[in-house]
Amino acid sequence: MTNPPIATVKAKELVSPNGTRTDNYYWLNERENPQVLDYLKSENAYTEQQMSAVKPLEEKLFNEMKGRIKEQDASVPYRDHGYYYYTRYETGGEYPLYCRKEGSQQGPEEVMLNGNEMGQGKSYFAIGGYAVSDDNQTLAYGVDSVSRRLYTLRFKNLKTGKLYPEKIANTAGSAVWAADNKTVFYAKKDVTTLLAFQVYRHTLGTDPSHDVLVYEEKDNTFGVGIERSKSRRYIGITLHSSLSSEYLYLEANKPAGEFRVFLKREPDHLYEVQDANGQFYILTNWEAPNFRVMAAPLTNTGKGQWEDVVPEREDVFIEQMELFKDHLVLNERAEGLREMRVINFSDEVGHIVPFRELAYTTYIGANPEFDTPTLRLTYTSFTTPATTYDYNMATHKLTLLKEQPVLGGFNKEDYVTERYFVTARDGKTIPMTVVYKKGFKKDGTGPLLQYAYGSYGISMDPTFSSARLSLLNRGFAYALCNIRGGQELGRKWFEDGRMLHKKNSFTDFIDCSLFLVKDKFTSPAKLFAEGGSAGGLLMGAIVNMRPDLYKGVIAEVPFVDVVTTMSDASIPLTTGEYDQWGNPADKKYYDYMLSYSPYDNVKAQKYPNMLVLTGLHDSQVQYFEPAKWVAKLRATKTDNNLLLLHTDMDAGHGGASGRFKALHDVARQYAFLFMLLGQKSMM
C-alpha cells in the first residue's frame, strides 16, 4: 500500500446557537459501522507498510527495553492490620500477583489474585482496586477486560480461595468495607458518560439487584468516589469537580446509617478531609489558592470551627497530606519540584526530607498504619530509578529499602540532568528539565524529544524511564516542559492554562522549543514533540501554529475535536470538563475553543511528520477524534510528510495492558523517530 487511505467525505452540518460548522468526517464516530472499522484497519495496514523498513529496529528496541526489566520482581511489602502486602511479577508474566504474608515478611505467601491466570486469553485485562475486610477474611476487587474502565466487582474468600457468586457490573473499580465485615459500599458508573454518579450499599453474599442506593449525584459536572479513612473510623463519599468538592461521611460501625455532609459544596472551594487524634484535618483552598491545612472538631464541622494548622504560603503549593499519630506529612511543590515536609504535632516544627539531585520528585507511598514514626516514600529522577525508602520522622533517618533494578549495565553517572527556567513571551518563567547521556553536544546537531501535558492541574515530574534509555543511549536528549495548565508552580499556574487562558499552554511549549533551538540543544530538523490525551490537544495546536519547528510529532490518544466533543454531553466525561475548557453553549467559550481546536483549525499548509495513536475502546478521548483529525489532515495539508494513524483495536485510553505489551507501543514510537532521522537500523 503506497498510497494512504482516503476517508469518504460525508458532509454533516453541526448547528448550535453560536454557529454552524461542517464536519466531513462526523460519520467516523459510528463505532459499530463496518465501514468505519474497515477504514481504521486500512490506516493500520498503511502504518505497518510505511514503517516496514524499521520493523527489525522496532523489535530490537522492544527486546532491549524488555531486557532492562527484572522479570521476577516484587514491590516492597507494607504492613496493614497484621499482614504484609505486596505485588510481584513472575518471569514472562504480563500481570502482577497480589500477595500477602501474615505476621512477618518471613511468613508463608498467600496469593490473593494471580493476574496472569485471570488475564490469560484476554486481549485486555486490568485489576482496578482491591480492599480487604477488617477481619482479613474477604477480598473485594474490580476487573476490566474491555478497557472502558467499567469494572465488575467480585468478592473472594481468602481462607477458602472461593469466589462469592455475585458480580456487580459497571462500577468505578473498588469497594469500601464497613466494620461489620459483610457490608461494602461502591460507586456505580453511567455506562454512556462513564461518570461515577451513584453509591450503593451491598451485603456480602446477597443478590446485587437488592443493593441499596445511598447517594446519587444529580450534577453531571461532579464525579463520585468512595473511601475509608485511615483511622478506619469513617466511610467517606467524595464529590468532586475541577473547582469544587464536597465530603459526606458515615461511622464505619453503623453502615445502615445516614451519611452526613461535612461542608456543602461551594464555588471555587476544593477540600479533602482526614481524621486523626480526635479531630478532622482539612486540606483546603478556602481563601488560600495554594492550599492550607486546617482542623475542626469531630462534633462541629462548620467553617466557623476551622483553625489553621499549616497556613498558606505564597511560594509553596500543598498537593497532598498524610496523617500519623505524632506527625503530619505534606507533599509540597516549591519552584516546580515535589518534595516532602514532615511536621511534628508536639512542637509544630517542620523539616524537608533532604535529597540532593538538581531535579527530582518524591511522593508518599503506602502508609496504612497510623501509630508509627515511619513514613514510606518513593524517590525518583530522570537518572534515578524509582527508589523506596522508610523515613523515621522522629530521628530523621532515611533507610533505603529498594532501588528498582535496571538490567543491562545501566549506570546513572553516565547521564546528565539540567534545569532551566525559560522566559515565555509574556514574561512568565517555565520550568524545564533536560536529560541526556554524557557526550551529547550542544551544537544544534543532536536530536531531542520534547514532552509536556499542561492541563487539569496535573503536574509532570522528572521521573525515571528505563525505556527512555534507548533514546538517550542513541544520542537523543529529552526535555520535560512544565507549561501552564499544570500546578507545578501553584494554583495560579493552573488557572493561567485553562478556559480563556488555554492558549498559554501552547505558546509556552513553543517558547520552550525556541529556547532549545536557540541554545543549540537541537534544530528544527531534529526536534520532535510528544504529548498524549490533553497533551495530544497540545500537539494538535502546535502543529497548526508552528509546524516549521518540528521534524516529527507523536500524538497519543489526542483530544483534538474540542468544540464538537464539549458540545455533546453524552460523550464520556464531557460535562465534568466544562471547568477546564468552558461550556460551548456560552458564545465566548464557543468562540475561544473554536479559535484553537486542532480539528477545526487544520489548514492548507505544510505539517511535520506525524504518528497518531488511539484505542478503539478509549473511554476518555474517543477513537473518532484522532481518526477524523487524520482524515482532515490528509485532505488538506500541502506536504508529502508522513501521516500515520495506528488504532489499537483491543485497547483504550491507557494503551495495551501488561508490562511487556505496552513496550511494543513505545518501541513503535521510537522506531518512528529514528526512521525520520534516516537511521533505520541503529543496530
Side-chain angles (χ1 to χ4, degrees), residues 186-302:
Y186 63 89
K188 194 96 168 178
K189 285 188 170 184
D190 183 298
V191 295
T192 301
T193 66
L194 303 183
L195 194 69
F197 74 112
Q198 295 173 324
V199 175
Y200 281 87
R201 184 177 70 234
H202 172 77
T203 301
L204 188 65
T206 66
D207 186 339
S209 65
H210 299 148
D211 289 357
V212 178
L213 177 66
V214 298
Y215 182 82
E216 182 170 2
E217 178 56 54
K218 303 295 187 181
D219 185 341
N220 62 6
T221 67
F222 277 75
V224 175
I226 186 81
E227 65 183 23
R228 181 84 177 269
S229 68
K230 185 173 178 176
S231 69
R232 295 182 178 247
R233 182 170 181 172
Y234 297 105
I235 294 164
I237 295 175
T238 61
L239 310 170
H240 47 87
S241 70
S242 299
L243 303 178
S244 179
S245 61
E246 188 175 334
Y247 183 74
L248 288 72
Y249 63 105
L250 171 72
E251 286 84 356
N253 61 0
K254 299 176 182 177
E258 295 290 326
F259 280 85
R260 287 173 284 174
V261 176
F262 186 89
L263 179 76
K264 285 185 178 181
R265 67 190 66 174
E266 302 170 314
D268 299 317
H269 183 198
L270 290 166
Y271 73 92
E272 59 183 67
V273 179
Q274 297 181 33
D275 68 287
N277 300 326
Q279 60 183 342
F280 286 116
Y281 288 82
I282 310 107
L283 179 61
T284 171
N285 69 344
W286 172 46
E287 297 180 350
N290 276 344
F291 288 80
R292 56 178 165 167
V293 178
M294 306 186 78
L298 297 180
T299 54
N300 188 342
T301 62

Side-chain angles (χ1 to χ4, degrees), residues 11 25 30 46 90 154 219 227 251 274 291 321 353 361 375-376 464 467 513 518 529 595 633 649 682:
Y25 305 103
E30 300 168 11
Y46 178 68
E90 295 180 331
R154 300 298 312 270
D219 185 341
E227 65 183 23
E251 286 84 356
Q274 297 181 33
F291 288 80
M321 70 175 176
V353 181
T361 188
L375 166 70
R376 174 68 54 82
F464 186 80
S513 300
K518 180 175 177 290
S595 73
L633 280 165
M649 307 302 282
M682 295 296 293

Side-chain angles (χ1 to χ4, degrees), residues 315 333-338 358-360 418-425 427-434 480-483 488-490 493 508 511-513 515-516 518-519 521:
D315 58 343
R333 288 191 180 275
E335 296 186 336
L337 296 179
R338 189 158 61 169
L358 180 68
Y360 64 88
E418 297 181 1
R419 198 147 189 266
Y420 297 90
F421 287 88
V422 178
T423 302
R425 59 193 65 187
K428 298 292 175 67
T429 53
I430 310 157
M432 182 174 70
T433 309
V434 183
L480 171 66
C481 306
N482 296 138
I483 61 178
E488 292 90 350
L489 295 180
W493 202 242
D508 281 359
D511 289 342
C512 286
S513 300
F515 175 91
L516 290 165
K518 180 175 177 290
D519 271 36
F521 273 98

Side-chain angles (χ1 to χ4, degrees), residues 328-341:
L328 167 65
V329 177
L330 301 177
N331 221 175
E332 301 178 336
R333 288 191 180 275
E335 296 186 336
L337 296 179
R338 189 158 61 169
E339 54 192 17
M340 205 76 67
R341 179 181 295 274

Side-chain angles (χ1 to χ4, degrees), residues 424 430 483-484 493 503-512:
I430 310 157
I483 61 178
R484 276 172 279 189
W493 202 242
K503 290 181 186 178
N504 285 335
S505 302
F506 314 144
T507 55
D508 281 359
F509 189 90
I510 291 169
D511 289 342
C512 286

Side-chain angles (χ1 to χ4, degrees), residues 103-399:
S104 78
Q105 296 186 44
Q106 285 68 50
E109 179 180 77
E110 178 184 339
V111 178
M112 298 185 297
L113 298 173
N114 187 325
N116 293 318
E117 292 179 359
M118 296 166 68
Q120 190 171 9
K122 296 180 173 65
S123 56
Y124 179 90
F125 175 75
I127 294 173
Y130 70 89
V132 178
S133 58
D134 287 16
D135 62 3
N136 296 314
Q137 301 287 312
T138 313
L139 178 74
Y141 64 95
V143 292
D144 174 17
S145 57
V146 178
S147 192
R148 292 286 284 174
R149 300 185 184 179
L150 292 169
Y151 294 89
T152 298
L153 203 59
R154 300 298 312 270
F155 303 91
K156 182 178 182 179
N157 186 311
L158 292 174
K159 293 302 179 184
T160 66
K162 292 185 178 180
L163 291 175
Y164 283 80
E166 60 258 46
K167 299 178 181 179
I168 306 175
N170 304 323
T171 77
S174 59
V176 169
W177 289 93
D180 63 1
N181 302 304
K182 65 180 182 181
T183 305
V184 294
F185 295 84
Y186 63 89
K188 194 96 168 178
K189 285 188 170 184
D190 183 298
V191 295
T192 301
T193 66
L194 303 183
L195 194 69
F197 74 112
Q198 295 173 324
V199 175
Y200 281 87
R201 184 177 70 234
H202 172 77
T203 301
L204 188 65
T206 66
D207 186 339
S209 65
H210 299 148
D211 289 357
V212 178
L213 177 66
V214 298
Y215 182 82
E216 182 170 2
E217 178 56 54
K218 303 295 187 181
D219 185 341
N220 62 6
T221 67
F222 277 75
V224 175
I226 186 81
E227 65 183 23
R228 181 84 177 269
S229 68
K230 185 173 178 176
S231 69
R232 295 182 178 247
R233 182 170 181 172
Y234 297 105
I235 294 164
I237 295 175
T238 61
L239 310 170
H240 47 87
S241 70
S242 299
L243 303 178
S244 179
S245 61
E246 188 175 334
Y247 183 74
L248 288 72
Y249 63 105
L250 171 72
E251 286 84 356
N253 61 0
K254 299 176 182 177
E258 295 290 326
F259 280 85
R260 287 173 284 174
V261 176
F262 186 89
L263 179 76
K264 285 185 178 181
R265 67 190 66 174
E266 302 170 314
D268 299 317
H269 183 198
L270 290 166
Y271 73 92
E272 59 183 67
V273 179
Q274 297 181 33
D275 68 287
N277 300 326
Q279 60 183 342
F280 286 116
Y281 288 82
I282 310 107
L283 179 61
T284 171
N285 69 344
W286 172 46
E287 297 180 350
N290 276 344
F291 288 80
R292 56 178 165 167
V293 178
M294 306 186 78
L298 297 180
T299 54
N300 188 342
T301 62
K303 268 186 180 176
Q305 302 296 314
W306 294 14
E307 295 182 351
D308 269 340
V309 176
V310 180
E312 184 198 22
R313 288 153 292 164
E314 190 173 319
D315 58 343
V316 175
F317 175 74
I318 303 176
E319 196 161 87
Q320 185 183 1
M321 70 175 176
E322 183 82 29
L323 289 165
F324 296 87
K325 181 175 180 293
D326 297 321
H327 298 90
L328 167 65
V329 177
L330 301 177
N331 221 175
E332 301 178 336
R333 288 191 180 275
E335 296 186 336
L337 296 179
R338 189 158 61 169
E339 54 192 17
M340 205 76 67
R341 179 181 295 274
V342 177
I343 298 169
N344 192 315
F345 282 130
S346 63
D347 56 17
E348 299 183 355
V349 173
H351 67 275
I352 299 294
V353 181
F355 292 102
R356 296 180 179 176
E357 287 190 79
L358 180 68
Y360 64 88
T361 188
T362 181
Y363 49 93
I364 298 168
N367 290 275
E369 298 209 313
F370 178 70
D371 189 1
T372 175
T374 302
L375 166 70
R376 174 68 54 82
L377 63 88
T378 300
Y379 173 91
T380 184
S381 73
F382 272 159
T383 58
T384 302
T387 307
T388 304
Y389 289 97
D390 272 351
Y391 181 69
N392 189 303
M393 295 179 283
T395 66
H396 300 189
K397 181 181 178 183
L398 196 64
T399 302

